[in-house]
């Protein structure tokens, strides 16, 4: 059963919904506790199947919203790819779906920009605004259980920073392909698993603790069957028959010795991220190792110039009918 957070604006001409739309149920605020559980003083999702390891509490929500703003500066907008083209058309007849929407900030910003498009934001926890725009539907839904949309009805599927949320990205891509209209667009964004220093400087030599921290993180994630997949998305899309695939790499710099307001914001968000990872590290038995590596990492980051995180922006379309 799909659960809509605020169905006040639900209208009957929503041609993207599958037959299960008759099962939509309004989420009562009293039901909220059932979506959350507490661990080590942080609030997590309580979904039985999702591997998602980060908290979903206020600190994390602020981090996601700041990351949204940072990414907007980095990619110069809300998306990379021919989204205007995919969403142009007749009033009220376009549908866009945001997988693992988080706080729903991207959906709300997009809904303002494209008021004729219906935006559906899917997540397993109700952390989105209770007052969505009239063209926004936030739905509690596990994306690993398939997408509740009729085949060939969705114009745009967006998936940003979801690799910790899905064990089988390839399977999800199959579902994306199924629900997209011919000519419909898939837009994804994912972080590389390690920070980098470009070709000349090897981060393992110049910032070894930073590399070690992220290596420990990769190992702990992989024990939870989570893998970060940015470089696999393109080959999977090719294999599934997506066309016009493009991948762009963006570098998000961290401080070094010469901080700017931008790199300060990146560093601040990195601190919150590392703090949010700490319960998972502790559960895995690496709490104190992660903590001491993180302290050494932040020391390195403030001394070593040129460290950056790579963000992959990927898009591709379902082949249009001839
Ligand atoms: C890192 S956040 C990204 C949020 C958003 N896409 C953004 O860019 O700000 C990942 C989100 O995935 C959600 N999530 C985890 N497992 C999920 C699942 N199986 N189905 C739907 N959402 C899921 C989490 O609750 C969290 O809000």
């Amino acid at each position: 059963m799909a659960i809509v957070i605020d169905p006040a604006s639900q209208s009957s001409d929503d041609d993207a919904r599958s037959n299960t739309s008759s099962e939509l149920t309004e989420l009562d605020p009293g039901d909220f506790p059932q979506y959350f559980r507490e661990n080590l003083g942080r609030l997590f999702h309580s979904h039985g199947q999702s591997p998602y390891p980060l908290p979903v509490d206020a600190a994390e929500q602020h981090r996601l919203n700041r990351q949204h703003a940072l990414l907007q500066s980095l990619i110069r907008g809300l998306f990379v790819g021919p989204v205007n083209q995919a969403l142009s058309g007749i009033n009220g007849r376009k549908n866009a779906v945001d997988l693992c929407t988080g706080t729903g900030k991207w959906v709300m910003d997009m809904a303002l920009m494209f008021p004729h498009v219906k935006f559906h934001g899917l997540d397993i926890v109700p952390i989105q605004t209770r007052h969505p725009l009239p063209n926004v539907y936030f739905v509690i839904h596990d994306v690993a259980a398939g997408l509740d949309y009729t085949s060939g009805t969705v114009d745009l599927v967006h998936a940003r920073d979801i690799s910790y949320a899905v064990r089988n990205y390839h399977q999800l891509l199959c579902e994306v392909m199924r629900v997209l209209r011919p000519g419909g667009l898939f837009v994804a964004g994912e972080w590389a698993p390690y920070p980098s220093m470009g070709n000349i400087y090897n981060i393992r030599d110049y910032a070894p603790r930073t590399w070690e921290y992220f290596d420990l993180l990769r190992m702990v994630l992989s024990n939870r069957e989570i893998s970060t997949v940015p470089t696999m998305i393109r080959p999977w899309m090719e294999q599934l028959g997506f066309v016009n695939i493009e991948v762009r790499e963006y570098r998000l710099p961290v401080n070094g010795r010469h901080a700017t307001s931008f790199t300060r914001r990146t560093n601040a968000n990195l601190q919150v991220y590392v703090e949010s990872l700490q319960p998972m590290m502790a559960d895995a038995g690496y709490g104190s190792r992660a903590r001491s590596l993180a302290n050494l990492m932040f020391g390195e980051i403030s001394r070593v110039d040129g460290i950056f995180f790579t963000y992959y922006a990927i898009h591709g379309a379902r082949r249009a009918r001839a």
Side-chain angles (χ1 to χ4, degrees):
M1 180 191 291
I3 300 171
V4 177
I5 291 181
D6 183 355
S9 54
Q10 183 83 32
S11 70
S12 57
D13 67 341
D14 186 353
D15 64 349
R17 282 235 168 270
S18 72
N19 294 336
T20 59
S21 59
S22 56
E23 296 176 34
L24 290 173
T25 308
E26 182 174 5
L27 186 65
D28 188 274
D31 296 335
F32 278 29
Q34 71 176 280
Y35 295 98
F36 303 100
R37 73 177 173 87
E38 217 183 312
N39 183 27
L40 301 171
R42 302 291 302 266
L43 205 63
F44 292 81
H45 74 82
S46 62
H47 192 278
Q49 308 299 321
S50 170
Y52 191 65
L54 293 173
V56 291
D57 51 18
E60 255 305 288
Q61 291 173 34
H62 289 141
R63 183 185 73 81
L64 290 178
N65 288 345
R66 279 193 302 261
Q67 176 174 270
H68 173 73
L70 280 167
L71 281 173
Q72 261 182 281
S73 307
L74 192 69
I75 67 171
R76 296 178 192 279
L78 288 166
F79 49 79
V80 179
V83 169
N84 288 307
Q85 204 179 316
L87 295 183
S88 68
I90 314 153
N91 248 6
R93 285 286 166 207
K94 293 278 167 176
N95 284 289
V97 177
D98 186 33
L99 307 179
C100 307
T101 197
T103 63
K105 200 84 178 74
W106 183 86
V107 161
M108 290 291 279
D109 286 354
M110 287 292 284
L112 261 185
M113 195 185 277
F114 298 96
H116 65 289
V117 177
K118 289 178 183 167
F119 284 89
H120 309 249
L122 315 183
D123 206 288
I124 50 169
V125 282
I127 55 172
Q128 305 75 34
T129 172
R130 297 278 298 161
H131 306 286
L133 291 164
N135 56 330
V136 168
Y137 303 80
F138 288 122
V139 183
I140 300 295
H141 183 75
D142 171 9
V143 299
L147 302 176
D148 275 352
Y149 302 98
T150 307
S151 300
T153 57
V154 178
D155 301 283
L156 171 71
V157 177
H158 179 254
R160 185 177 71 183
D161 195 12
I162 73 160
S163 63
Y164 289 9
V166 287
R167 285 204 173 89
N168 195 335
Y169 199 102
H170 182 269
Q171 184 183 310
L172 185 59
L173 270 178
C174 295
E175 264 299 89
V176 170
M177 180 60 124
R178 180 186 69 74
V179 301
L180 280 177
R181 284 186 206 281
L185 190 66
F186 175 59
V187 174
E190 291 296 335
W191 293 104
Y194 291 87
S196 180
M197 293 184 73
N199 296 331
I200 303 167
Y201 301 108
N202 188 335
I203 193 157
R204 290 172 79 162
D205 295 331
Y206 286 83
R209 301 299 171 222
T210 303
W211 186 85
E212 243 183 277
Y213 178 85
F214 278 91
D215 202 42
L216 177 66
L217 172 59
R218 189 203 47 76
M219 190 265 284
V220 170
L221 287 170
S222 119
N223 288 345
R224 294 173 68 112
E225 296 175 56
I226 297 172
S227 51
T228 40
V229 291
T231 54
M232 289 307 297
I233 296 175
R234 183 190 191 115
W236 285 335
M237 287 174 72
E238 284 169 350
Q239 189 194 343
L240 289 169
F242 281 86
V243 294
N244 303 329
I245 303 168
E246 274 185 38
V247 181
R248 284 189 215 165
E249 288 179 33
Y250 294 86
R251 292 178 172 188
L252 183 74
V254 290
N255 255 352
R257 283 168 301 166
H258 310 289
T260 63
S261 67
F262 189 77
T263 59
R264 269 193 211 100
R265 282 160 61 208
T266 311
N267 278 37
N269 240 23
L270 182 60
Q271 300 256 9
V272 180
Y273 177 59
V274 162
E275 211 44 56
S276 290
L277 288 166
Q278 198 53 31
M280 174 182 72
M281 296 295 207
D283 284 348
Y286 294 105
S288 48
R289 174 146 182 75
R291 178 75 70 201
S292 63
L293 276 177
N295 289 338
L296 293 166
M297 168 172 79
F298 283 108
E300 282 179 351
I301 280 176
S302 64
R303 288 192 305 273
V304 178
D305 284 329
I307 300 174
F308 59 85
F309 288 87
T310 306
Y311 181 74
Y312 291 83
I314 304 131
H315 62 87
R318 181 172 173 181
R319 192 181 293 281
R321 282 199 190 99

